[in-house]
Structures are given as structure tokens and as C-alpha cells.
Amino acid sequence: MARRTKTPVSFDAELSALPPELRWREWMGRVEAVIFASPEPVTREVLARVVGRDCSLDLLIDDIRAELRGRPYELVAVAGGWQHRTRKSFAEAIQVATGLGTDDPKPLSPSEALVLLCVGYFQPITRSELSAFFGKEISRDTIGHLRRLGFIAAGPRSPQPGAPYTYVTTKEFLTHFGFDTLRDLPDMEALEDAGLLSKDRLLAGDIPLGLMAEDGGDEDPEDDVLPNVET
């Protein structure tokens, strides 16, 4: 089993020999470099390894974000960590220059998006509960596609007779749709009160603008080993 990389003994995280202003600037540089070098969101625990014990990472991140104002990329909180992302206003320029993003590698049909939306709000939820919600059977193909995309995974077994598997969203779901935690999903009651969301609208295929704005073989979880799911 691979061992976790340890912080070198000679690494000076505190930088106590530097004046406060220079120390802060160095910590900012370290944190931004670590985030920039990582293909995945970087957690607070990882960043804490390269700054002093008394350093406020929240204030440090705020200062980095302030310096990035006006740049074509920004520092965002996503999936429990931080990540550099290009600003949406430059998406078309990137597509024209590189072709990236012209073919969505993770397409969702309207029905799949609706199922994913319901899993996000009502997890853990079984396939039969999803079927009852929509008034028609949700196929294993639909569930299997969402699992292959990495957006949902098998959750704990339900206490219902037969102990069927439930489904929950994953860290990949948070990362792909730009959520830091599930608490960032729009508040269900507020949407209902505002008339923006209702069961009738969901069943009609009407996904409220902004809920799933970034995305327009049969698998059976009973054969799977339950994964470690991060939500």
C-alpha cells in the first residue's frame, strides 16, 4: 500500500524569520501554487501543511481572490476544497481556440437530469422511490449511465423489505456542477414558495434554470461493493 507523502522535516511552514507582510505573501504564493498544480479541488487540510499554524486560510484565500479580479480565471470553492477555474465569460473563446468543450464528455438527457436532480435533493433514495415519484419506472440503464458518469453511487441499504440499495450523489457531482457542498443546492422550500419548483413541473420535464445549467450497458448495484461516498 502506498504511503502518504510526509512534509519534509526541513520545510519551514511558519516562516517566523520573515516580516509579517513578506510571510503573508509567501503563504499566498504557496497556497496558490499548490492549488494551481492540482487537477482536483485542494482541501483545507492539504493547504494547512504549507502555512503557519496561526495563518487564517480563509483570509488568505480572500486575498488571493482579490488579486485575481479581472483575470480570466478565478479561485472557487468546490467539492470541499478550492480550485482554479476559467471564468464562464471566456468559454466561447476557449472553444474557438482549442475545440475544448464543444463536445460535452458528460451529456445528460432531460430525463437523466431530472433523476439526478431528485437524487441530489432526496438522497439517499432507492430506484423504486424514484419510480414512484415520477409515476413510471426509472430504468437500470438510466441509473447505470449516471453511475458511469460518476455523478451518483450506491449508498446505504434502505430499511425497506429486501433492503434495496439507495443512491447518493458523489464528489464528482459537486465538482462538475460547481457546488462546494450539497448545502449549495438551491433551497427546495424557497423554490417552491417562489413558484420556481414543484413536483408537477419536474414531472413535466421543466428543470428550473440554474439547477443543472452546466449540462444539458446495464449496471446493477446489488453486484457492487459499497464505495466510500463523499457528499
Side-chain angles (χ1 to χ4, degrees):
M1 184 175 67
R3 293 184 177 180
R4 181 178 174 181
T5 303
K6 295 183 178 180
T7 302
V9 176
S10 60
F11 183 78
D12 182 10
E14 298 296 333
L15 299 175
S16 54
L18 292 179
E21 183 176 348
L22 294 180
R23 185 185 312 142
W24 190 257
R25 295 297 307 181
E26 178 65 17
W27 285 338
M28 286 176 61
R30 288 178 177 182
V31 165
E32 189 169 8
V34 171
I35 295 172
F36 185 84
S38 175
E40 302 292 336
V42 182
T43 64
R44 178 182 300 272
E45 291 73 22
V46 171
L47 296 178
R49 300 173 193 166
V50 298
V51 299
R53 288 168 292 182
D54 296 330
C55 175
S56 169
L57 279 172
D58 292 322
L59 293 178
L60 203 71
I61 293 291
D62 286 345
D63 282 356
I64 294 173
R65 283 172 165 166
E67 289 200 345
L68 293 179
R69 290 194 185 111
R71 297 291 186 90
Y73 58 93
E74 59 187 334
L75 190 57
V76 298
V78 61
W82 287 282
Q83 187 175 45
H84 280 110
R85 291 193 171 187
T86 52
R87 298 184 187 274
K88 293 181 180 179
S89 59
F90 291 95
E92 185 176 3
I94 294 172
Q95 290 173 5
V96 169
T98 67
L100 295 176
T102 53
D103 295 318
D104 190 349
K106 298 187 175 181
L108 290 178
S109 68
S111 62
E112 289 168 342
L114 285 169
V115 170
L116 181 57
L117 180 65
C118 288
V119 174
Y121 275 110
F122 304 118
Q123 61 186 298
I125 187 171
T126 66
R127 186 164 67 91
S128 63
E129 288 172 334
L130 286 168
S131 298
F133 182 87
F134 287 101
K136 62 181 180 179
E137 183 176 2
I138 301 301
S139 71
R140 284 194 171 96
D141 286 340
T142 296
I143 296 297
H145 187 221
L146 293 175
R147 284 168 58 83
R148 285 191 294 273
L149 294 177
F151 291 151
I152 66 173
R157 288 185 181 272
S158 171
Q160 299 173 8
Y165 278 80
T166 61
Y167 295 99
V168 295
T169 54
T170 63
K171 185 175 181 179
E172 176 62 22
F173 167 82
L174 296 175
T175 301
H176 187 76
F177 292 103
F179 297 126
D180 188 15
T181 71
L182 289 175
R183 290 189 296 272
D184 292 333
L185 282 169
D187 182 77
M188 176 71 77
E189 292 185 1
L191 289 172
E192 290 178 336
D193 291 343
L196 298 176
L197 180 64
S198 69
K199 181 178 179 179
D200 290 340
R201 291 187 65 177
L202 285 176
L203 295 178
D206 186 3
I207 304 176
L209 184 63
L211 289 184
M212 292 292 174
E214 293 200 21
D215 273 297
D218 193 7
E219 287 192 24
D220 193 339
E222 282 76 0
D223 298 328
D224 295 340
V225 176
L226 286 180
N228 291 323
V229 179
E230 298 182 59
T231 58

